[in-house]
Amino acid sequence: MERDVLSRLGITDAVSGCWIGADARLTSGKPITARSPIDGRTLATITSAGAGDVSAAVDAAQEAFLKWRLVPAPRRGELVRLIARRLREQKEDLAALVTLESGKIASEALGEVQEMIDVADFAVGLSRQLYGLTIASERSGHRMMEQWHPLGPVGVITAFNFPVAVWAWNTMLALVCGDPVIWKPSEKTPLCAVACHRIACSAAAEMADAPSGLLSLVIGDAGDVGQPLAANNQVPLISATGSTHMGRAVAEVAARRLGRSLLELGGNNGLVLAPSADLDLATRAIVFAAAGTAGQRCTTLRRLIAHRDVRDEIVRRLQRVYANIKIGDPREAGVLIGPLIDEAAWQGMTRALAAARTAGAVIHGGERIINGVPAGGVYVRPAIVEIRPDVPIVREETFAPILYVMSYDTLPEAIAIHNDVPQGLASAIFTNDLREAEEFLSAAGSDCGIANVNIGTSGAEIGGEFGGEKQTGGGRESGSDAWKAYMRRVTNTINYSKDLPLAQGVSFDV
Ligand code: UN1
């Protein structure tokens, strides 16, 4: 069954680490073993790409760019429409691979592929809406306008936890904006990348005006692939999604050559639970956001800031749900929490829990599960940690299902606790008090890129911009006008008069 899925997605036992368009290059880097976190089984071996492959991919992208930028944007949208059609056709297979390689449950994997389709549909519409402004000129007989032009090859770096959707957020937009893409996926999920790349290339093969170097894939680690990609002068934009540590390294390299970077990095997302909150609704939202995806979303809820009057009640409710939640093989019906990605994730989780314990926190759950789950995978019970907000570990993003619970007395105090972390991605308030909700969303409220009311922190739709402030990196991907990051803006002033008046009334008679 599984082999069938892999073979329908064009994945063999030995896979090249560099694809330029439909062509697999003969790579000679370190071998990468693609494993399933479900049971640690080897799925395939990839020969990683190196600096030479990166530069070949960038050269091909640059060549493709010279042609693609001249293809009218709505026609570029046609390529994205074809990709979306294939994604619809292969949704089940691709989702099965996402589950196999990232460990997320079937429903969430299908949701992730749906997110790709959604952003592709969005991008198709966008291909007819790359609007610029016209501007009133201060000079008579003059007209001013802005145009948005294609930018050039875009380097896209993605993480294991959304192994397909984040590439689509970037690539579907980049394609309609007129930019080729060079993709460096996580080494933990290389097969998802190969599958997506092949799907996109098969759609491109249907379009004679889609140049061959438009899409490429370079699989390898930060040193072999990430660094040369970020350093390459022919890549005007690097879009990186992942840890703050990774983003800082990428941004530094890109900044040195004054390249642009679009960063969507760590989150340490908080939810304020007000006394008027609907606790049934809040419990469901908190469990999905804190324990769903085994706590491995950048939007995962990590901090629950509960009013003193409802804190004990919510902890009781969460403990009840956590005690019965089904943890195990993510392919099994009824399972809501699959494995952590690897042993290192479990070590990170134990380290964080030990730090919390030392600081006097009360911990519920958080243990490793051995019975009733596949051997070879890392399965854990999500943890609820009652802790003070000033304990340093609370300020860190630990990529595991740990929910720190803290209490507050007044809303300003809750907002202060909420904002007192280095990250600023997603946030939420649960309240039935309109004033509290508005205060949380106001300039004096949450300092995050995403702020929700009566909805958890995770599971955003693609229509809005996605990203956040502070150590989250400040970039915005996906919907709204995030497309502007993938284009260059040019201001045009056109004189249709027979005079040459200078701006600001300057006279300069020659
Ligand atoms: C991520 O974890 O990097 O809002 C992206 C969400 C998803 C995207 C998460 N739509 O949780």
Side-chain angles (χ1 to χ4, degrees):
M1 219 293 270
E2 215 160 72
R3 284 286 138 200
D4 293 349
V5 169
L6 291 175
S7 86
R8 280 199 296 274
L9 293 168
I11 289 163
T12 50
D13 291 341
V15 183
S16 166
C18 179
W19 298 69
I20 298 179
D23 298 329
R25 268 168 72 91
L26 200 60
T27 40
S28 57
K30 305 187 269 276
I32 297 173
T33 308
R35 288 184 203 284
S36 174
I38 298 173
D39 51 13
R41 194 161 30 105
T42 296
L43 300 171
T45 306
I46 293 100
T47 310
S48 75
D53 299 304
V54 172
S55 94
V58 173
D59 288 348
Q62 177 59 26
E63 206 182 307
F65 174 61
L66 299 181
K67 299 184 187 133
W68 191 239
R69 66 182 179 175
L70 301 178
V71 173
R75 175 75 189 149
R76 300 194 296 247
E78 173 63 9
L79 172 59
V80 174
R81 194 185 67 78
L82 293 173
I83 296 173
R85 197 179 69 189
R86 283 178 187 262
L87 287 172
R88 284 183 165 88
E89 284 162 11
Q90 297 205 261
K91 181 173 176 181
E92 276 72 26
D93 281 345
L94 190 54
L97 178 57
V98 169
T99 292
L100 199 58
E101 214 183 16
S102 78
K104 63 177 71 175
I105 61 170
S107 173
E108 289 192 55
L110 284 165
E112 182 171 354
V113 180
Q114 186 58 46
E115 192 161 348
M116 304 174 83
I117 295 167
D118 292 344
V119 79
D121 287 355
F122 175 87
V124 174
L126 183 67
S127 71
R128 290 180 185 271
Q129 298 174 81
L130 302 172
Y131 299 136
L133 298 171
T134 59
I135 297 152
S137 171
E138 67 191 44
R139 288 169 279 188
S140 64
H142 283 58
R143 189 168 73 79
M144 288 179 73
M145 66 175 182
E146 280 180 356
Q147 292 189 83
W148 291 91
H149 288 320
L151 184 66
V154 177
V156 174
I157 298 176
T158 60
F160 79 86
N161 68 326
F162 272 77
V164 296
V166 173
W167 166 76
W169 288 354
N170 284 281
T171 303
M172 301 309 133
L173 258 55
L175 285 176
V176 301
C177 290
D179 303 334
V181 170
I182 304 117
W183 182 15
K184 180 211 170 303
S186 164
E187 305 100 279
K188 294 175 186 171
T189 50
L191 301 183
C192 284
V194 172
C196 290
H197 180 74
R198 292 182 59 104
I199 287 172
C201 288
S202 67
E206 284 182 56
M207 232 176 106
D209 42 356
S212 62
L214 197 53
L215 295 169
S216 52
L217 176 62
V218 279
I219 304 171
D221 64 20
D224 290 340
V225 168
Q227 211 279 344
L229 185 59
N232 195 307
N233 256 323
Q234 289 190 98
V235 180
L237 173 67
I238 296 279
S239 173
T241 303
S243 69
T244 295
H245 173 79
M246 177 280 299
R248 185 174 284 124
V250 166
E252 279 173 8
V253 173
R256 220 168 292 142
R257 61 176 175 91
L258 299 181
R260 285 192 206 169
S261 47
L262 193 171
L263 305 174
E264 195 265 286
L265 311 175
N268 189 354
N269 314 298
L271 184 151
V272 173
L273 187 71
S276 66
D278 177 332
L279 288 187
D280 288 338
L281 212 64
T283 305
R284 285 164 51 199
I286 291 167
V287 174
F288 173 66
T293 335
Q296 300 174 113
R297 288 192 190 218
C298 55
T299 51
T300 289
L301 176 62
R302 309 205 178 276
R303 298 178 301 129
L304 174 60
I305 303 153
H307 190 273
R308 215 166 280 284
D309 291 353
V310 285
R311 173 200 159 121
D312 290 349
E313 174 62 15
I314 195 72
V315 170
R316 256 194 308 277
R317 286 181 186 226
L318 291 174
Q319 276 184 276
R320 259 203 308 274
V321 178
Y322 275 25
N324 296 315
I325 203 161
K326 217 168 153 194
I327 301 163
D329 189 326
R331 295 164 298 190
E332 242 173 62
V335 166
L336 291 180
I337 302 180
L340 293 184
I341 190 69
D342 54 17
E343 287 289 338
W346 167 238
Q347 281 155 20
M349 181 165 176
T350 43
R351 259 198 311 274
L353 292 178
R357 197 172 289 117
T358 308
V362 177
I363 301 175
H364 314 277
E367 68 277 6
R368 189 150 174 179
I369 298 172
I370 306 293
N371 296 326
V373 297
V378 182
Y379 294 85
V380 299
R381 185 159 304 281
I384 300 167
V385 178
E386 299 185 68
I387 197 164
R388 291 190 326 272
D390 59 342
V391 176
I393 193 68
V394 174
R395 297 164 53 81
E396 285 178 32
E397 177 190 48
T398 301
F399 227 58
I402 300 174
L403 179 64
Y404 298 114
V405 182
M406 296 156 273
S407 26
Y408 77 90
D409 290 305
T410 65
L411 187 60
E413 182 195 354
I415 292 172
I417 294 171
H418 177 273
N419 290 349
D420 187 24
V421 292
Q423 309 84 353
L425 180 58
S427 61
I429 188 168
F430 270 73
T431 180
N432 280 334
D433 180 330
L434 180 67
R435 284 194 213 147
E436 284 190 338
E438 290 289 343
E439 197 169 327
F440 187 75
L441 303 182
S442 78
S446 158
D447 62 1
C448 290
I450 296 169
N452 297 334
V453 176
N454 294 337
I455 297 177
T457 52
S458 65
E461 302 176 17
I462 60 92
E465 282 195 321
F466 186 92
E469 305 303 335
K470 303 192 284 187
Q471 285 188 8
T472 303
R476 294 294 189 275
E477 299 179 303
S478 187
S480 184
D481 63 355
W483 61 270
K484 290 178 175 170
Y486 302 80
M487 302 200 85
R488 67 182 173 90
R489 181 188 344 216
V490 50
T491 303
N492 307 129
T493 306
I494 301 142
N495 177 7
Y496 59 92
S497 77
K498 290 190 171 134
D499 262 330
L500 196 68
L502 298 177
Q504 298 93 38
V506 171
S507 65
F508 197 89
D509 294 326
V510 287

Coordinates of all heavy atoms in Angstrom, one line a residue, residues 65-101:
F65 N 14.2 32.9 -15.5 CA 13.7 34.2 -15.1 C 13.6 35.1 -16.3 O 12.5 35.8 -16.5 CB 14.5 34.8 -14.0 CG 14.1 36.2 -13.6 CD1 12.8 36.4 -13.1 CD2 15.0 37.3 -13.7 CE1 12.4 37.7 -12.7 CE2 14.6 38.6 -13.4 CZ 13.3 38.8 -12.9
L66 N 14.6 35.2 -17.1 CA 14.6 36.1 -18.2 C 13.4 35.8 -19.2 O 13.0 36.8 -19.8 CB 16.0 36.0 -19.0 CG 17.2 36.3 -18.1 CD1 18.5 36.2 -19.0 CD2 17.1 37.7 -17.5
K67 N 13.0 34.6 -19.2 CA 11.8 34.3 -20.1 C 10.5 34.5 -19.3 O 9.5 35.0 -19.8 CB 11.9 32.9 -20.6 CG 13.1 32.6 -21.4 CD 13.1 31.2 -22.0 CE 14.4 30.9 -22.7 NZ 14.9 29.6 -22.3
W68 N 10.5 33.9 -18.1 CA 9.2 33.8 -17.3 C 8.7 35.3 -17.0 O 7.5 35.5 -16.9 CB 9.5 33.0 -16.0 CG 8.3 32.7 -15.3 CD1 8.0 33.0 -14.0 CD2 7.2 31.9 -15.7 NE1 6.8 32.5 -13.6 CE2 6.3 31.8 -14.6 CE3 6.8 31.2 -16.9 CZ2 5.1 31.0 -14.7 CZ3 5.6 30.5 -17.0 CH2 4.8 30.4 -15.9
R69 N 9.6 36.2 -16.8 CA 9.2 37.6 -16.4 C 8.4 38.2 -17.6 O 7.7 39.2 -17.4 CB 10.4 38.4 -16.0 CG 11.4 38.7 -17.1 CD 12.6 39.5 -16.6 NE 13.5 39.7 -17.7 CZ 14.6 40.5 -17.7 NH1 14.9 41.0 -16.5 NH2 15.4 40.6 -18.7
L70 N 8.6 37.7 -18.8 CA 7.9 38.3 -19.9 C 6.6 37.6 -20.2 O 5.8 38.1 -21.0 CB 8.8 38.2 -21.2 CG 10.2 38.9 -21.1 CD1 11.0 38.7 -22.3 CD2 10.0 40.4 -20.8
V71 N 6.4 36.5 -19.6 CA 5.1 35.8 -19.8 C 4.0 36.6 -19.0 O 4.2 37.0 -17.8 CB 5.1 34.4 -19.2 CG1 3.8 33.7 -19.2 CG2 6.2 33.5 -20.0
P72 N 2.9 37.0 -19.6 CA 1.9 37.8 -18.9 C 1.5 37.1 -17.6 O 1.3 35.9 -17.5 CB 0.7 37.9 -19.9 CG 1.4 37.6 -21.2 CD 2.5 36.7 -21.0
A73 N 1.3 37.9 -16.6 CA 0.9 37.3 -15.2 C -0.3 36.4 -15.3 O -0.2 35.3 -14.7 CB 0.8 38.4 -14.2
P74 N -1.4 36.7 -15.9 CA -2.5 35.8 -15.9 C -2.1 34.4 -16.6 O -2.6 33.4 -16.2 CB -3.6 36.5 -16.7 CG -3.3 37.9 -16.6 CD -1.7 38.0 -16.6
R75 N -1.2 34.5 -17.5 CA -0.7 33.2 -18.1 C 0.1 32.5 -17.1 O 0.1 31.3 -17.1 CB 0.0 33.6 -19.4 CG 0.7 32.5 -20.1 CD -0.3 31.6 -20.9 NE 0.4 30.4 -21.4 CZ -0.2 29.2 -21.6 NH1 -1.5 29.1 -21.3 NH2 0.5 28.2 -22.1
R76 N 0.9 33.2 -16.4 CA 1.7 32.5 -15.3 C 0.7 31.9 -14.3 O 1.0 30.8 -13.8 CB 2.6 33.6 -14.6 CG 3.6 34.2 -15.5 CD 4.7 34.9 -14.8 NE 4.3 36.1 -14.0 CZ 4.6 37.4 -14.2 NH1 5.3 37.7 -15.3 NH2 4.2 38.3 -13.4
G77 N -0.4 32.6 -14.1 CA -1.4 32.0 -13.2 C -2.0 30.7 -13.7 O -2.3 29.8 -13.0
E78 N -2.0 30.5 -15.0 CA -2.4 29.3 -15.7 C -1.6 28.1 -15.2 O -2.1 27.0 -15.0 CB -2.4 29.4 -17.2 CG -2.7 28.2 -18.0 CD -4.1 27.6 -17.8 OE1 -5.0 28.2 -17.1 OE2 -4.3 26.5 -18.3
L79 N -0.3 28.3 -15.1 CA 0.6 27.2 -14.6 C 0.2 26.8 -13.2 O 0.1 25.7 -12.8 CB 2.1 27.7 -14.6 CG 3.0 26.7 -13.9 CD1 3.0 25.3 -14.6 CD2 4.5 27.2 -14.0
V80 N -0.1 27.8 -12.3 CA -0.5 27.6 -11.0 C -1.8 26.8 -11.0 O -2.1 25.9 -10.2 CB -0.5 28.9 -10.1 CG1 -1.1 28.6 -8.7 CG2 0.9 29.4 -10.0
R81 N -2.7 27.2 -11.9 CA -4.0 26.5 -12.0 C -3.8 25.0 -12.3 O -4.4 24.1 -11.7 CB -4.9 27.1 -13.0 CG -6.4 26.7 -13.0 CD -7.2 27.3 -14.1 NE -6.8 26.7 -15.4 CZ -7.1 25.5 -15.8 NH1 -7.9 24.7 -15.1 NH2 -6.7 25.1 -17.0
L82 N -2.8 24.7 -13.2 CA -2.5 23.3 -13.6 C -1.9 22.6 -12.4 O -2.2 21.4 -12.2 CB -1.6 23.3 -14.8 CG -2.2 23.8 -16.1 CD1 -1.1 23.9 -17.2 CD2 -3.3 22.9 -16.6
I83 N -1.1 23.3 -11.6 CA -0.5 22.6 -10.4 C -1.6 22.3 -9.5 O -1.7 21.2 -8.9 CB 0.6 23.5 -9.8 CG1 1.8 23.8 -10.7 CG2 1.1 22.9 -8.5 CD1 2.8 24.8 -10.3
A84 N -2.5 23.2 -9.3 CA -3.6 23.0 -8.3 C -4.5 21.8 -8.7 O -4.9 21.0 -7.9 CB -4.5 24.3 -8.2
R85 N -4.7 21.7 -10.1 CA -5.5 20.5 -10.6 C -4.8 19.2 -10.2 O -5.4 18.3 -9.7 CB -5.7 20.7 -12.1 CG -6.8 19.8 -12.6 CD -7.0 20.0 -14.0 NE -5.9 19.4 -14.8 CZ -5.7 19.6 -16.1 NH1 -6.5 20.3 -16.8 NH2 -4.6 19.0 -16.7
R86 N -3.5 19.2 -10.4 CA -2.7 17.9 -10.1 C -2.7 17.7 -8.6 O -2.8 16.6 -8.1 CB -1.3 18.0 -10.6 CG -1.3 17.8 -12.1 CD 0.0 17.8 -12.7 NE -0.2 17.7 -14.2 CZ -0.1 16.6 -14.9 NH1 0.3 15.5 -14.3 NH2 -0.3 16.6 -16.1
L87 N -2.7 18.8 -7.8 CA -2.7 18.6 -6.3 C -4.0 18.0 -5.9 O -4.1 17.1 -5.0 CB -2.5 19.9 -5.6 CG -1.0 20.4 -5.7 CD1 -1.0 21.9 -5.1 CD2 -0.1 19.5 -4.9
R88 N -5.1 18.5 -6.6 CA -6.4 17.9 -6.3 C -6.4 16.4 -6.6 O -6.9 15.6 -5.8 CB -7.5 18.6 -7.0 CG -7.8 20.0 -6.5 CD -9.0 20.7 -7.2 NE -9.5 21.8 -6.5 CZ -9.1 23.0 -6.5 NH1 -8.1 23.3 -7.3 NH2 -9.6 24.0 -5.8
E89 N -5.9 16.1 -7.8 CA -5.9 14.7 -8.2 C -5.1 13.8 -7.2 O -5.4 12.6 -7.0 CB -5.3 14.5 -9.6 CG -6.2 15.0 -10.7 CD -5.5 15.3 -12.0 OE1 -4.3 14.9 -12.2 OE2 -6.2 15.8 -12.9
Q90 N -4.0 14.4 -6.7 CA -3.0 13.5 -5.9 C -3.1 13.9 -4.4 O -2.2 13.5 -3.7 CB -1.6 13.7 -6.5 CG -1.5 13.2 -7.9 CD -0.1 12.8 -8.3 OE1 0.6 13.5 -8.9 NE2 0.3 11.6 -7.9
K91 N -4.2 14.5 -4.0 CA -4.3 14.9 -2.7 C -4.2 13.8 -1.7 O -3.4 13.9 -0.7 CB -5.7 15.6 -2.5 CG -5.9 16.1 -1.0 CD -7.2 16.9 -0.9 CE -7.5 17.3 0.5 NZ -8.7 18.1 0.7
E92 N -4.8 12.7 -1.9 CA -4.8 11.6 -0.9 C -3.4 11.0 -0.9 O -2.9 10.7 0.2 CB -5.8 10.4 -1.3 CG -7.2 10.7 -0.8 CD -7.9 11.8 -1.5 OE1 -7.6 12.0 -2.7 OE2 -8.8 12.5 -0.9
D93 N -2.7 10.8 -2.0 CA -1.4 10.2 -2.0 C -0.4 11.1 -1.3 O 0.4 10.7 -0.5 CB -0.9 9.9 -3.4 CG -1.5 8.7 -4.0 OD1 -2.0 7.8 -3.2 OD2 -1.4 8.5 -5.2
L94 N -0.5 12.4 -1.7 CA 0.5 13.4 -1.1 C 0.2 13.5 0.4 O 1.2 13.5 1.2 CB 0.3 14.7 -1.7 CG 1.4 15.8 -1.4 CD1 2.8 15.2 -1.7 CD2 1.2 17.0 -2.2
A95 N -1.0 13.5 0.9 CA -1.3 13.5 2.3 C -0.8 12.3 3.0 O -0.2 12.3 4.1 CB -2.8 13.7 2.5
A96 N -0.9 11.1 2.3 CA -0.4 9.9 2.9 C 1.1 10.0 3.1 O 1.7 9.5 4.2 CB -0.8 8.7 2.1
L97 N 1.8 10.6 2.2 CA 3.2 10.8 2.3 C 3.6 11.8 3.4 O 4.5 11.6 4.2 CB 3.8 11.2 1.0 CG 5.4 11.5 1.0 CD1 6.1 10.3 1.4 CD2 5.8 11.9 -0.4
V98 N 2.8 12.8 3.5 CA 3.0 13.8 4.6 C 2.9 13.1 6.0 O 3.7 13.3 6.9 CB 2.0 15.0 4.5 CG1 2.0 15.8 5.8 CG2 2.3 15.8 3.3
T99 N 1.9 12.2 6.1 CA 1.7 11.5 7.4 C 2.9 10.6 7.6 O 3.5 10.5 8.7 CB 0.4 10.6 7.3 OG1 -0.7 11.5 7.3 CG2 0.3 9.7 8.5
L100 N 3.3 9.9 6.5 CA 4.4 8.9 6.7 C 5.7 9.6 7.0 O 6.5 9.1 7.8 CB 4.6 8.2 5.3 CG 5.3 6.9 5.2 CD1 4.7 5.9 6.1 CD2 5.3 6.4 3.8
E101 N 6.0 10.8 6.5 CA 7.3 11.4 6.7 C 7.3 12.4 7.8 O 8.4 12.6 8.4 CB 7.7 12.1 5.4 CG 9.2 12.0 5.2 CD 9.7 12.7 3.9 OE1 9.0 13.5 3.3 OE2 10.9 12.4 3.6

